[in-house]
Amino acid sequence: MSLSTAVVLLGLVASVGLFGYRCWQRMQHLRLGRTAGPFGRWSKRIQGVLVFVGGQTRLLRVPGTGIAHLFIFWGFVLLLPTILQAIIEGLFPDFVLPFFAMFGPLLLVQDIVALAVTVAVLYGLYVRAAVRPERYKGSHQFEGNLVLCFIFTIMATLLCHTGIRQNLGEAHVAAAWQPVAAVVGLPLRGLSPETQEAVSEICWWVHLGVVLVFLTLLPLGKHFHVVTSIVNVLLRNLQPPGRLMPARRDEGAEGAERIEQFSWRQMLDWYSCSECGRCQDVCPAYNSGAPLSPKLLIMGLRAHLFERGQALRASPEDGRSASREATLNKRLVGDVLSEESVWACTTCNACDRECPLFVEHVQPIVDLRRGLLLQQRGDKTLATALESLRRYGNSLGKSDKQRAKWTTGLDFKIKDVRKQPVQTLWFVGDYASYSPALTQVAQATARVFQTAGLDFGLLFDAERNAGNDVRRVGEEGLFELLAQKNIAALQKCQFERIVTTDPHTYNTLKNEYVLTNGHEQPLSAKTPVLHYTELVDELTRDGRLKVLRKLDGAVTYHDPCYLGRYNGIYEAPRRVLRAVGCRVIEMPRNRDRALCCGAGGGRIWMDEGKVKERPAESRVREAAALGVGCMVVACPKDLSMYRDAVKTAGLEGRIVVRDLIELVDEATRANAGSDATAVAKTEAMASSLSAG
Amino acid sequence: MDIVVLIKFVPDLVEDLEIDASTGLLDRSFLRLMPNELDEHALEQAVILKERHGGRVTVLALDTGDVDEALFTAVAKGADRVIKITGDGFDQGLGSRRIATILRRALSDVRFDLILTGTQAVDDLDGFVGAFLAADLGLPYVGYVTQVAAADGRVVVRKEYPGGLNAEIEVSGPAVLGIQAAERAPRYVVTSKVMEAMKSAKIEEFAVDEVSVENEFAISSMALPESGTHAEMIEGTVPQIAQRLAALLKERGILA
Amino acid sequence: MCGEVCVVVEVLRGEVKDITYIMLAAGRQLAAGLKTKLTALLIGRDVQKLVAQLGAADRIVCVEHADLEEFNPDAYLQVLIAVFEQHAPRLVMFGHTATGTDLACGVAHRLRWPVATACWTFSLGNGTVQCSSLTCGGKLIANGPLPEPSCVVTVMPGGYKAKDGQVHKTPAVETVSAPGLDQVRTRFKQYLEPPAGDVDITKQRILVSVGRGIQNKDNLALAEKLAAALGGVVSGSRPVIDQAWLPTTRLVGKSGKQVKPKLYVAIGISGAPEHLEGVAEAELMLAINTDPKAPIFDVAQYGATCNALELMPLLTENLKR
């Protein structure tokens, strides 16, 4: 065996060995985690890998770097044979990889791909150096730059080596098949063959060396995603995003107070995080100046998993036991993550939606919150809201007997579902029922339903908060209690379907409520659950609800998180708006990129804390910038938050915020002429619409 | 340090109150009762002291109907023993003096260093349970307490006066304290812990027979205050309005 | 003192508190109606100099001792019991305060007298005395007879005017020696002054709250003077805090603090629900807002639509008189 072969062999063994060891270490830590699965639905999963990994679909939502990464990813896949060739060549000097090193068209593709990768990498370096996007803040930028340099080096040495091979007439195929390499080799033609041979040799060694070093570095940081990403996407969560995992009481703790109380699947997520920061970019909390970054949360969890995993596995006789003790005593929330950051999340799901690797951020935050509440950590205003929810079934401290008081302002009676069967059970929700400012919305909804001749009714005093945000705040037991009470009330009634005013109610009734009489069955499997926008869309399309006067003008529509991003209802509200005569102008951040108003995840029950720009204000400014006079929403919390934001952002007079149902009511109610207030509103509406 | 906490169940003021036409008193038939807010503070303070100094917390409450959930919640918060006192007519709204007499009986075999209870309850009309109990047991009583510090068998309390002024008062021996506020807001315990307490803890019952109380102050009638839905608007020139408002505030004794 | 109306004087740090005058005002009426005398019981150390302020009473009974200088619950209780065991008044009046409520039940228990608390007003008829109390957070009024021969009451401010209990006359003084105070189980240690730093508005009885109607930061001073005259502090609604005219610790509302003051003066606040949520339990609310349709007027008990910037200084002056 020659010296060079020995060196290659040594390098290979060392590199693969170190790579393997480092992977093994991390797999050992995964074993600390709780169980996960079962997985199933494999064809859908494989399809996902093809689309999301192969197609890099989510990455392309940020076009520049998305395309660059597409090239780099496919570049590596297509250039893998060249790397293999290099390695095997090192061990068996005259070896030529059959087919892969000889097939002209393939080599042409590889040649062009190498150029594309080089350009992509240079673009990446340019972005990092000159553009410096906000989303990289907090990521390991040195590692990012280093790896880009590595890849550049690998490409450059490959092209150079191949170019010289062509110059020396030793290429495996005609130069025409490898034009880029030829161009690279061109300036070197002037050198003597011995020099070129030497340069080629150096290129080869550097090429191999960088590859082997890169391999050992892969498991250490964000580039571990190269190893785990396909598995991560394959095993992604196929449940509806609006369905959280229940608390695991049978395994002891209800939430995650220590890192090993997460599941191994969650831990795998953290290993797959590439620190791209797309989640951070769309996070309403982060962008308002709150101390939460979904990316930094995942990175923090990953780092702590490693240090704690190492500390747990170290034997006590090892030296450095003081630092081991210190690591083991670290509080997950307190020392590793700040409490403020865990509570800052609005559970809007923008992060989960944006992540190219399907890393879940909301579920771990809920798990952490479950642990915090168990330890009685959480702010006082939240405690007050939870006490009220537990005692009265609403967060506003009002009596359950007052829930249907808003109905007294109507000139017709609404059916009581507890006493008579109806076709559509209307689950109103806390805010629309109790908040004086929202009474008009509830009443407008009732009028629209009545005008359409819908057979509907209410649960009246038997309705309780559906529990969506209670669950997301981490009070799983209270969520279960509220759900139990609601389900018990529902089971005593006869109805064919449920309609909700609030998208939060919609989400949990549709995705999380389970009937347990005998066998478990989702509520929505037994009775369809609709949001009112879906119902109104249906009613306008089949003619049961007739538009009597068109509301001329331009509006913009804000997609509520729990209606749009979580449950995919984007078009129904827009159809309704067009049906009543409005022209819908989209905000730059629309549909699944809509910016959360900031009230979700129980935030509406917590102290605001320091903010540099409230998400709600950012959103109304975005709407006002379109020049429309009206922003339409379909969620009571959105309505409150945005109306407030219009005042605090100083936009009064420039834009109004209306609920979609108010517009529908004005367009469809029979006796608008006799009601002065309604006419005044319509006129104001028309003038505000026409301001757009 | 062994502490007894007394919890009184009072009308939940979130509901509308009504007068029973036949008795001329509060109509209790649809009243929802809840633990007196200051008694929750007393419980919180007791648990804080237990966490600091060890010992046991015993909670006593009269069975006014439907008190179990609150007692299990007390266990979830850290109470060691919860005693429900049963007897006739407890749901009719007993006076403080009578309640104190009943509690005294239930305490006959309970060991304690301190008794904590809210300094007053929203429906107190004939005195305060804590103060009466102290007098009955021959113990010192300090009310409006916002902090309790214990060291070497002595207790130093902070007593709250108006305007942010506080006084430190040292109390020796077992005593009864009327709590105005705990050191921290009463903790929230998650529902799953309350459910756990419902399964694992047991509420002791103590039955009390006929209790006679002399010199009780008795209410003869009750009424609802006149309510308007709109503010009474004060008219006139600005100086006139200023005068009227100043007079109004003095009339209302706001400036006492 | 037998059969008399006796007011237990409340003194705090050498000052006679207003509640005493309110009780004296009520006591004078009751004594007149019952055709008996009004006695003021003054306990402390070196308190004879306060006697001139208690002219509304027919006579003062004074108990002085070094250990009674500052309020000491057990000591004061023992003094009262000793005094009343000798002479049983018809009525013993305590203020419904941190001091009065420490003592009323102890006295009532030991002497076997009934006690009625939180009394607002009293009425006389056929030689019987009735009291009227506000209970259940002000949602209910309770009335009851004060039995003979003796009865203890605690009195809340509001039913009588302090000025009616302020008479400039020096009544007769009778000194009574304090009983032996060696078995006293409570001991006054020290006062803790309120911190000079920012105030906790949730603990304030009186708040003057400003909203956008105040227009700019400079006008805040008017509100602060008004608050000082009322013995309260300034708080604010969202727009004011957002403009940083007041720190966030002063925010009243959904995103701020929930306050339960005795008096809430809302200046230039429209009464948005998010704000009202923070002050749902104010006992008395005055609202000043130029918009007669402002929702705050549906919640406040009294209101005016005049210019708040003009009103505040005048109101402050009026209060000082």
Side-chain angles (χ1 to χ4, degrees), chain A residues 240-243 506-514 522 524 566-567:
Chain A
R243 180 181 303 159
Y506 173 65
N507 181 69
T508 197
L509 287 180
K510 182 170 176 182
N511 297 310
E512 297 182 317
Y513 269 44
V514 172
S524 53
Y566 268 105
N567 289 293

Side-chain angles (χ1 to χ4, degrees), chain A residues 451-521:
Chain A
T451 306
L454 197 65
D455 177 23
F456 71 101
L458 300 176
L459 280 167
F460 286 88
D461 300 351
E463 188 185 297
R464 295 275 173 283
N465 184 300
N468 188 70
D469 285 40
V470 171
R471 186 169 216 203
R472 279 141 186 83
V473 136
E475 232 289 41
E476 187 78 355
L478 183 56
F479 165 72
E480 289 167 358
L481 186 67
L482 289 167
Q484 247 173 53
K485 290 194 174 159
N486 281 320
I487 288 172
L490 289 170
Q491 283 176 327
K492 293 198 193 101
C493 305
Q494 284 176 281
F495 52 93
E496 289 171 29
R497 60 188 179 173
I498 297 175
V499 70
T500 79
T501 292
D502 192 328
H504 292 238
T505 315
Y506 173 65
N507 181 69
T508 197
L509 287 180
K510 182 170 176 182
N511 297 310
E512 297 182 317
Y513 269 44
V514 172
L515 305 168
T516 48
N517 38 1
H519 60 280
E520 282 197 10
Q521 184 196 28

Side-chain angles (χ1 to χ4, degrees), chain B residues 9 63 65-74 84 198 203 205:
Chain B
F9 282 77
D63 186 8
D66 215 14
V67 304
D68 286 13
E69 192 181 313
L71 291 175
F72 283 122
T73 307
K84 181 163 75 168
M198 285 183 178
I203 298 179
E205 288 191 20

